[in-house]
Amino acid sequence: PMAADAFRPASPLLHTARMHRRTVTAMSTEGAISKRDARRNIMSKDDFIRSPQKFKEEKAAVDEMMLAEFKSTLVQDMRKTGYEYTRGEGNEKITFKLAKEFGFCWGVERSIELALSASQKFEGKKLHITNELIHNPGVNEMMGANGIEFIEKTDEGKRFDVVEAGDVVILPAFGATLEEMQLLDDRGVTTVDTTCPWVSKVWNVVDKHKKADMTSVIHGKYSHEESIATASFCEDYIIVKDIDEAEYVANYILNPSEDAKAELLRKFKNAVSKGFDPEKHLKKVGIANQTTMYKKETLAIGKLFEKTMMMKFGPEEVQERFAAFDTICDATQERQDAIQEMVQEPGAKDELDFILVVGGWDSSNTAHLVEIPHSAGIEAYHVNQADCIKADNSITYRDVDGEIKTKKDFLPLDRPAVIGVTSGASTPDAYVQESLEQLFLLKGLSKA
């Protein structure tokens, strides 16, 4: 039998600031048990639910709920008419050009379906969720409206002390840490796991890194829920947020020194595993990623470390010292490709007044969509909901650097306007329509 008790946190409060930097080792009477095996042991239990097939009786009601909340007739019409839609005449005329791929992905739909199904199946029981289901304010409000309580976050950690035996706990699309999974298993709850399969795929990759005695270099944001979860399944890791940080690490590998080591540990103090030693742990590396990161940058980081290992140890040792697997999710890549196609169309820079990007401000995949038009010199406004667009022709948006700003007179009213439109993988079509309707109203047109 697997003795997973050594994974279990002693306190009912998980200290999230330290949680993802902690190296956990489980031991049994037979010897060491891997994090992979501990995870699979929990997931194999009857009270750990992952499949929509467990909610067959609830499916019809949940499908109806999702259709009512998320469907958009306007967006459907745009799909049918070549991803373009025009209304009005003269100066009131407004044309929307919709990216060929946008909005809800399969993984997000699956996550919402599982969470809503749990709220139906376990009606009458206390339901919790360990984090935002996805990074979309409207969807998370819907969770609360269906009786799902968000576990409170404090400076000390998440308030898991409110979770009692017999409760139902939902894991979000980003996944949960091994510590959290062990705590819930110990608490005797029913766990409904809505983790996106693409995120689980990354966990399988870091399992391979461990087996090859490699350190996982995770392209992601160290404070993002998904990266925290992924790091919890690693033995040794370092998280780099972009190519600049990757180059910093690569430079240390090629030019190590005691001063450089101390500086690296200071710079990445929140983004490395416990006991991380650059001199020891950067001799063999494998690339993993937060699935919503910008694919071109992830690929560039992979190439950088492959070249670095070749320069440091020679071409004959590269295969032993470097590994990379494609773990960028298809939906993320398709949406990035579609907006890239839009900005590269001949005359796009002159034709488009701006690109409207709809999605949660905390959504990493949505934020990366903004970077593409920004790099092409095209204005882009990232709004998280329709009321960011005001009746006084101002817009409150998140810029490419993550700052929330407000711009007045953003929509041209004295001439026709042409607007590019896209949305993140966690954004329902209905929320896109609500934003476009605000633009109709500014142009003096009725809603769709």
Side-chain angles (χ1 to χ4, degrees):
M2 295 183 178
D5 287 346
F7 281 92
R8 306 189 192 285
S11 168
L13 288 179
L14 281 183
H15 297 269
T16 53
R18 300 193 304 271
M19 178 168 58
H20 59 290
R21 301 195 297 273
R22 179 176 170 186
T23 298
V24 188
T25 304
M27 300 296 295
S28 70
T29 54
E30 292 80 22
I33 168 180
S34 70
K35 293 184 177 184
R36 169 183 173 273
D37 288 341
R39 179 176 80 239
R40 293 190 175 188
N41 182 40
I42 294 172
M43 296 171 78
S44 67
K45 296 184 178 181
D46 291 340
D47 56 5
F48 194 96
I49 302 172
R50 303 176 65 202
S51 172
Q53 294 299 313
K54 297 288 186 179
F55 299 106
K56 288 181 179 179
E57 294 181 6
E58 291 74 29
K59 181 170 175 54
V62 169
D63 284 350
E64 188 174 334
M65 291 168 65
M66 293 179 67
L67 192 63
E69 177 71 15
F70 302 140
K71 182 182 177 181
S72 164
T73 53
L74 173 60
V75 172
Q76 279 187 327
D77 289 344
M78 292 174 74
R79 281 192 174 101
K80 294 175 183 176
T81 56
Y83 296 86
E84 190 168 316
Y85 185 87
T86 299
R87 288 188 66 193
E89 296 180 356
N91 291 341
E92 292 182 347
K93 184 178 179 181
I94 187 166
T95 298
F96 295 121
K97 290 181 174 289
L98 187 64
K100 300 294 192 300
E101 295 289 344
F102 64 95
F104 258 5
C105 67
W106 170 78
V108 164
E109 284 199 60
R110 175 184 175 277
S111 183
I112 295 171
E113 180 183 345
L114 281 167
L116 291 176
S117 295
S119 74
Q120 298 289 302
K121 187 179 187 70
F122 299 109
E123 188 176 5
K125 285 197 173 188
K126 196 169 183 181
L127 288 96
H128 312 268
I129 188 166
T130 62
N131 223 314
E132 291 184 342
L133 183 73
I134 58 174
H135 284 152
N136 186 281
V139 171
N140 290 313
E141 287 172 12
M142 187 181 186
M143 295 300 110
N146 280 276
I148 300 171
E149 298 180 9
F150 292 84
I151 292 175
E152 181 186 359
K153 293 181 182 179
T154 70
D155 291 340
E156 293 183 333
K158 295 179 185 176
R159 293 296 305 270
F160 281 99
D161 55 329
V162 303
V163 178
E164 299 177 349
D167 289 354
V168 177
V169 181
I170 297 168
L171 307 184
F174 313 108
T177 66
L178 181 55
E179 277 191 305
E180 290 181 346
M181 291 170 69
Q182 290 284 10
L183 183 147
L184 296 172
D185 182 50
D186 192 47
R187 195 63 54 87
V189 304
T190 296
T191 300
V192 179
D193 181 15
T194 81
T195 303
C196 173
W198 277 97
V199 175
S200 300
K201 182 179 178 182
V202 179
W203 299 350
N204 293 333
V205 165
V206 299
D207 290 340
K208 293 177 182 177
H209 294 167
K210 167 59 182 170
K211 190 174 181 180
D213 196 28
M214 289 180 168
T215 293
S216 295
V217 177
I218 303 170
H219 177 210
K221 301 170 183 176
Y222 72 80
S223 60
H224 191 283
E225 301 96 315
E226 184 187 326
S227 288
I228 292 172
T230 296
S232 79
F233 298 111
C234 301
E235 290 299 333
D236 304 302
Y237 68 84
I238 183 168
I239 302 174
V240 296
K241 71 176 180 180
D242 53 30
I243 190 67
D244 291 338
E245 288 195 350
E247 287 174 346
Y248 187 98
V249 176
N251 186 60
Y252 169 81
I253 294 172
L254 295 175
N255 304 284
S257 70
E258 285 302 313
D259 288 344
K261 176 179 175 178
E263 180 60 21
L264 185 146
L265 289 173
R266 184 200 64 78
K267 181 179 178 66
F268 292 93
K269 63 181 180 180
N270 295 318
V272 293
S273 48
K274 183 180 179 181
F276 186 83
D277 182 348
E279 188 176 350
K280 174 184 176 183
H281 292 127
L282 291 175
K283 291 182 177 180
K284 296 174 70 176
V285 300
I287 306 300
N289 66 285
Q290 184 182 310
T291 57
T292 54
M293 299 303 280
Y294 193 31
K295 181 174 183 178
K296 285 186 177 179
E297 190 166 44
T298 297
L299 293 174
I301 289 170
K303 291 292 184 184
L304 171 66
F305 279 101
E306 182 180 30
K307 181 180 179 181
T308 299
M309 289 297 156
M310 187 179 299
M311 293 172 66
K312 179 74 173 180
F313 300 104
E316 64 279 359
E317 293 194 29
V318 169
Q319 285 191 333
E320 181 187 344
R321 295 184 180 273
F322 173 79
F325 303 89
D326 183 5
T327 52
I328 287 284
C329 101
D330 285 343
T332 297
Q333 182 56 37
E334 288 165 358
R335 281 146 189 74
Q336 291 174 0
D337 289 345
I339 197 70
Q340 189 77 53
E341 181 182 335
M342 178 184 288
V343 302
Q344 288 178 345
E345 286 184 1
K349 189 173 181 180
D350 295 325
E351 181 186 27
L352 296 173
D353 289 291
F354 58 83
I355 292 177
L356 186 71
V357 182
V358 185
W361 280 338
D362 291 335
S363 168
S364 179
N365 80 84
T366 309
H368 288 302
L369 294 178
V370 180
E371 295 173 5
I372 296 170
H374 176 78
S375 297
I378 298 174
E379 189 79 71
Y381 299 116
H382 175 186
V383 300
N384 70 340
Q385 48 195 11
D387 62 11
C388 289
I389 301 169
K390 308 293 186 183
D392 64 355
N393 196 19
S394 67
I395 187 167
T396 300
Y397 65 100
R398 182 186 187 277
D399 73 5
V400 72
D401 296 317
E403 293 185 36
I404 307 303
K405 297 181 176 180
T406 299
K407 183 173 181 178
K408 297 179 179 179
D409 301 320
F410 78 101
L411 180 68
L413 302 179
D414 57 350
R415 59 175 176 79
V418 180
I419 315 299
V421 180
T422 190
S423 58
S426 52
T427 307
D429 288 353
Y431 298 0
V432 176
Q433 176 167 330
E434 290 170 2
S435 296
L436 301 187
E437 286 176 341
Q438 292 294 95
L439 299 179
F440 284 143
L441 292 177
L442 288 178
K443 276 290 193 178
L445 303 167
S446 61
K447 291 185 177 182

